[in-house]
Amino acid sequence: MTNPIRPQRYLGGVDYPVDKRTLVQHARDNGADEEAVRTLESLPANRFNSPNDVSEAFGNR
């Protein structure tokens, strides 16, 4: 399992709220490796209102 902090480092500058597809694309654009991308794609939520929502989603996977 990927450390939830690892994918978060690729999410700086995201304008929330954001959908999962945009979140994943932003991470890719910021150089996220495939493991980080897969981790973000596996999150159960499809929309995030804040970085805290992303963090909470990691706990719910």
Side-chain angles (χ1 to χ4, degrees):
M1 181 169 93
T2 299
N3 180 332
I5 294 170
R6 187 167 176 228
Q8 284 273 14
R9 69 179 161 169
Y10 300 111
L11 301 179
V14 169
D15 290 325
Y16 292 92
V18 65
D19 60 66
K20 186 187 328 188
R21 186 180 63 149
T22 302
L23 192 75
V24 169
Q25 187 59 52
H26 187 85
R28 281 191 172 121
D29 292 347
N30 283 322
D33 59 34
E34 282 306 307
E35 183 179 2
V37 168
R38 281 192 307 272
T39 299
L40 291 169
E41 290 174 335
S42 74
L43 295 178
N46 286 314
R47 186 145 184 91
F48 305 92
N49 293 315
S50 70
N52 285 341
D53 283 356
V54 176
S55 295
E56 287 178 18
F58 276 103
N60 294 329
R61 336 185 271 147

